[in-house]
Amino acid sequence: MKKVFTLLLGLLAVLFVACGEKQSNTEGQEKVVVVSQGAKPKSLDPYMYNEIPGLAVTRQFYDSLFKKEDDGSITPLLAESYEYKTPTELWVTLRQGVKFHNGDILTVDDVLFSFQRMKETPASAIMISDIEKVEAVDDKTFKIILKQSSAPLLFSLSHPLTSILNKKYVEEHQGNISTEPMGTGPYKFVSWGDGEKIEMAAFDDYFRGRAKVDKVIFREIIEDSSRLAALETGEIDIAYDMTAIDSGMIEAKDNLVLISEPTTAVEYICLNNQKSPFDNKLFRKALDYAIDRQSIVDSVYMGRAKITNSIVNPNVFGFYDGLNKFTFDPEKAKELIAESGIKNPKFTLSINEGSDRQQAAQIIQANLRDVGIDMQIQILEWGTYLQSTAEGKFEAFLGGWMSGTSDADIVLFPLLDTKSFGSAGNRARYSNPAFDKLVEDARSELDVAKRKELYKEAQLILQEDTPMTIMYAKNKNIGVNKRIKGFIYDPTNVHSLYTLEIAE
């Protein structure tokens, strides 16, 4: 009996010491924040794809020359100052002493190299298409020569797609930048984890000051319910892309806070205008009347979305609010289908993984069935979805477009201009010379009122041509553990995590 008692005392002592050690380790532990989104990035090369899951991660590794503030103004970031010598010549002085994660100092050569590489990559090339050339002036100044004056230029140069790279690193690592990024940003790369678990650590020499958390981990959790469960148990700290239904459950939890805010995006059905039946304008118009958008807003998004009638989000400069409102009118849809001459219409709607788009697609499918259209639903993995739609291997897809600069140019030019066919943005394969001229004139027009008028006329053409079926502008729902402080919501949905803190 004495032996047993002694043994128990020993075990209790071990447990006591172990608990004490655990508490001590907790106090000295790294401050780690785990973020989850519903899809893994296709690449960590900041120029390769204009896709939110990738840009949400790469924004932490890289900086651009300029920064868009919350009030919409543009301020220098890697740039120290700038001056327009003429409407087509911008001189930029580079901030001195900025370090890359490998210890190299940022130079004008890095900037020139970055612009050249942007030109060679479709997603970034569209951002700088107004630039003729970039030249060094001296070891800390360079000049940007434009083809014509460019109203959206500084906004484009504040976008993550125009981040600045390290010339030597990219040349030495060749293709590895897609899985081993290296920039000047607040966090440096640790591991790729096949994209499913991306780790990054605070960069001690960040020029704006070290981040207040030590490590950030991005985890892919595809299933919405699994992402919610991980947030509830504390397995993750921030959950992006939560559904409206899950948002209510987040609000009910004492340890969680819900962020549900409008974005600069619009959801739409992209119609391949080069394939039947969508090469027929009357048939395209029929879809506008056939779909009950309000039913989707109410049942799928539980009111956390608003029907909109333009591909330009209401929160974006250049939005025209005088367009005709959509009317759910199945009989009108049937008339247009009959007038189009298309018999027994059918097509496949491609969507990516995600329960809200699947639910929306099911309502669309039922609506179209009621007017005699046989629509099948095809669910694709995110990378496959991006690739196949860029290559035109689809009939229609349900997607969204985010205005990363909050300016209509970054919507209308890449998404619908003839010059942007394919992976640059124009997956609809839409082409209208009159529309192109309006949008391209707006790019070089510096008068704000005149730009708005050009965008108005462009949106009127789109409403007449109906190259895509405009759906709604939905809120982004984000769940955050209350222990996390300093999360700043960005309506472009590419959030900077530099300001994160962990409550003591």
Side-chain angles (χ1 to χ4, degrees), residues 46-47 62 100 110 113-114 117 163-167 170 177:
Y47 301 166
Y62 295 98
F100 284 99
D110 293 312
F113 169 81
S114 296
R117 194 169 181 277
S163 298
I164 301 302
L165 309 179
N166 179 283
K167 177 182 178 182
V170 176
I177 188 174

Side-chain angles (χ1 to χ4, degrees), residues 45-321:
D45 182 336
Y47 301 166
M48 192 58 65
Y49 299 101
N50 190 357
E51 51 111 10
I52 297 299
L55 295 176
V57 178
T58 59
R59 183 173 183 184
Q60 318 312 322
F61 298 129
Y62 295 98
D63 291 307
S64 48
L65 291 168
F66 296 91
K67 180 178 183 289
K68 185 167 70 69
E69 303 293 348
D70 293 340
D71 63 3
S73 63
I74 298 295
T75 56
L77 187 56
L78 291 181
E80 183 176 77
S81 61
Y82 65 99
E83 179 185 0
Y84 274 99
K85 298 291 186 179
T86 72
T88 58
E89 188 172 321
L90 174 66
W91 284 40
V92 181
T93 299
L94 202 58
R95 190 180 297 275
Q96 298 300 289
V98 173
K99 286 185 179 181
F100 284 99
H101 300 155
N102 66 353
D104 289 353
I105 300 297
L106 173 68
T107 68
V108 168
D109 279 347
D110 293 312
V111 175
L112 301 186
F113 169 81
S114 296
F115 274 103
Q116 182 57 43
R117 194 169 181 277
M118 287 177 214
K119 283 185 176 182
E120 298 166 356
T121 314
S124 288
I126 206 75
M127 306 294 293
I128 61 166
S129 59
D130 284 340
I131 296 177
E132 180 68 40
K133 56 184 175 180
V134 184
E135 297 177 343
V137 174
D138 54 39
D139 60 358
K140 63 178 183 178
T141 308
F142 60 94
K143 58 183 176 181
I144 297 174
I145 310 298
L146 300 170
K147 299 171 185 175
Q148 64 272 322
S149 56
S150 176
L153 178 65
L154 295 184
F155 290 92
S156 296
L157 297 183
S158 68
H159 194 282
L161 282 167
T162 60
S163 298
I164 301 302
L165 309 179
N166 179 283
K167 177 182 178 182
K168 183 179 72 175
Y169 180 83
V170 176
E171 289 179 339
E172 289 178 352
H173 286 71
Q174 298 298 327
N176 290 352
I177 188 174
S178 62
T179 55
E180 296 180 20
M182 198 281 289
T184 62
Y187 298 97
K188 60 183 181 179
F189 174 76
V190 174
S191 65
W192 163 242
D194 196 31
E196 296 176 359
K197 185 179 179 183
I198 301 167
E199 297 190 29
M200 57 190 76
F203 179 37
D204 292 336
D205 293 327
Y206 186 49
F207 72 96
R208 297 166 68 195
R210 188 186 188 278
K212 294 180 180 179
V213 299
D214 300 308
K215 184 182 288 187
V216 173
I217 298 172
F218 272 85
R219 283 188 53 196
E220 177 200 34
I221 303 178
I222 296 173
E223 292 292 332
D224 300 315
S225 58
S226 299
R227 201 157 58 254
L228 174 62
L231 181 68
E232 289 176 330
T233 61
E235 186 181 336
I236 63 174
D237 300 296
I238 302 173
Y240 291 166
D241 307 320
M242 300 308 300
T243 65
I245 293 174
D246 290 338
S247 296
M249 299 180 73
I250 292 170
E251 286 181 308
K253 297 291 182 179
D254 292 337
N255 65 323
L256 304 178
V257 61
L258 173 72
I259 298 170
S260 181
E261 295 288 343
T263 71
T264 59
V266 168
E267 290 275 306
Y268 60 96
I269 302 174
C270 183
L271 311 174
N272 192 327
N273 286 225
Q274 291 184 335
K275 289 185 177 180
S276 178
F278 302 119
D279 54 356
N280 185 308
K281 185 168 79 170
L282 288 172
F283 185 82
R284 296 196 302 267
K285 278 187 169 297
L287 268 61
D288 275 348
Y289 294 97
I291 297 172
D292 186 358
R293 296 168 177 79
Q294 193 62 51
S295 176
I296 298 173
V297 167
D298 292 341
S299 61
V300 178
Y301 297 106
M302 304 184 73
R304 298 183 191 271
K306 290 183 178 179
I307 297 171
T308 186
N309 49 1
S310 173
I311 191 61
V312 180
N313 184 287
N315 297 320
V316 170
F317 171 83
F319 167 75
Y320 175 55
D321 63 0

Side-chain angles (χ1 to χ4, degrees), residues 418-431:
T418 306
K419 294 183 176 65
S420 306
F421 266 36
S423 59
N426 189 348
R427 286 160 159 80
R429 266 63 178 177
Y430 170 69
S431 181

Side-chain angles (χ1 to χ4, degrees), residues 371-382:
V371 298
I373 300 173
D374 177 13
M375 188 197 88
Q376 300 301 312
I377 300 171
Q378 178 186 47
I379 302 173
L380 301 174
E381 179 272 331
W382 179 246

